[in-house]
Amino acid sequence: LRSTDVSGLTVDVGCDGSVRMRHVGVGPGAPACVADEKERVVCGGGVVVRRLRDGSAQLLFADGSVARQDSDSTSSDDLEWALLEGACVKDAATGARVWMRGDTSLTIFEDGVVLAKHADGTIIRTCEHHVIVECPGLAAVEIDTDIDATATAHAQGHQVAVAKGGERIRCRVALPDGSRVVATYDTSVTATVRGRLALLRPDRTEILAQDDGLITLRPPELYQGGSVKARGEHHPYGLLAPWCEAHDD
């Protein structure tokens, strides 16, 4: 499912839970990160793959580390790793532990929330089985790593526990224009459709897509809280995980 806003930001969300972003045109209003970035993909687990305009690539991780590959590299063995190492500083007021290297930092809060800030402005927050990836001017992505791993294993033919079964939300995407995208996966034995995508526009127009090719458009007049009926989710289009709001710094 693809969405393009007036700024030129194009976001593709797949039934496999991957989120691909690129900016059409690099004008005065474009985010700073796209000056040298051709596109980025947010994968399961919150790993961000940046494909740069010079042909090289970067992998950004939730622990603050970065892997780089030159444009002339042909193997993953050619990755150049930059680990976030060095002295740890403890904030006396909050008890948080902080590691810094240049424009990159890693903060571990006492409640277990981990916040990694990368040099390009990408922020990756991790808490239990949720990962939120953000970057100024781009879409924010929230991934439930447990559900994403279960969906991936099931799609590969592995059996999954009944307790983890049913239709579940594997990721949410919040676009800068206020739109929301939800990706679900259904492991039920009786399910005829596994992957579903739902896009909710600010005017409450819904676009629903299934991995069997069926596309449904629901006008605002038919909106009654949304068409996503995922297990354990009362507000599937809701805001990103509330725990992230307390850790913006």
Side-chain angles (χ1 to χ4, degrees):
L1 194 153
R2 174 174 296 176
S3 175
T4 302
D5 64 20
V6 294
S7 73
L9 174 64
T10 298
V11 180
D12 296 318
V13 183
C15 287
D16 61 353
S18 64
V19 181
R20 185 184 304 271
M21 292 177 249
R22 59 186 180 277
H23 216 278
V24 181
V26 185
C33 66
V34 304
D36 62 349
E37 178 180 296
K38 185 177 180 180
E39 68 174 8
R40 68 171 51 199
V41 180
V42 180
C43 307
V47 178
V48 179
V49 181
R50 299 183 70 216
R51 305 186 191 281
L52 306 183
R53 297 186 184 278
D54 62 3
S56 62
Q58 293 180 351
L59 278 71
L60 312 182
F61 294 89
D63 62 357
S65 59
V66 180
R68 296 179 175 86
Q69 186 177 48
D70 293 334
S71 57
D72 56 355
S73 298
T74 58
S75 170
S76 59
D77 295 333
D78 297 329
L79 288 174
E80 176 186 344
W81 288 86
L83 303 179
L84 192 56
E85 300 173 334
C88 172
V89 178
K90 187 172 184 178
D91 186 347
T94 64
R97 292 171 292 158
V98 183
W99 289 262
M100 300 188 68
R101 186 191 67 242
D103 295 330
T104 303
S105 67
L106 177 69
T107 304
I108 302 179
F109 296 90
E110 286 192 319
D111 59 1
V113 174
V114 179
L115 187 150
K117 292 185 176 181
H118 289 272
D120 73 318
T122 298
I123 298 176
I124 305 177
R125 295 178 174 89
T126 308
C127 182
E128 296 179 348
H129 56 91
H130 286 274
V131 178
I132 292 181
V133 180
E134 299 175 281
C135 190
L138 301 180
V141 181
E142 179 188 359
I143 301 169
D144 188 315
T145 54
D146 279 359
I147 295 176
D148 184 72
T150 298
T152 300
H154 186 271
Q156 293 173 348
H158 301 289
Q159 291 185 340
V160 300
V162 176
K164 296 183 178 180
E167 186 173 7
R168 304 289 189 103
I169 294 178
R170 67 192 303 178
C171 79
R172 290 184 176 92
V173 182
L175 280 67
D177 67 356
S179 299
R180 295 288 188 272
V181 182
V182 174
T184 66
Y185 188 88
D186 195 342
T187 61
S188 303
V189 176
T190 58
T192 57
V193 174
R194 298 297 182 187
R196 292 181 173 87
L197 298 169
L199 168 66
L200 179 67
R201 290 295 192 187
D203 66 356
R204 295 187 174 183
T205 296
E206 268 191 306
I207 300 175
L208 310 174
Q210 301 181 171
D211 60 10
D212 62 355
L214 177 64
I215 307 293
T216 304
L217 173 65
R218 297 177 63 87
E221 294 77 14
L222 297 180
Y223 182 80
Q224 294 182 344
S227 302
V228 180
K229 305 300 181 184
R231 182 176 174 182
E233 297 285 349
H234 301 292
H235 305 286
Y237 287 122
L239 299 177
L240 298 179
W243 52 261
C244 76
E245 298 176 0
H247 301 285
D248 288 332
D249 297 319

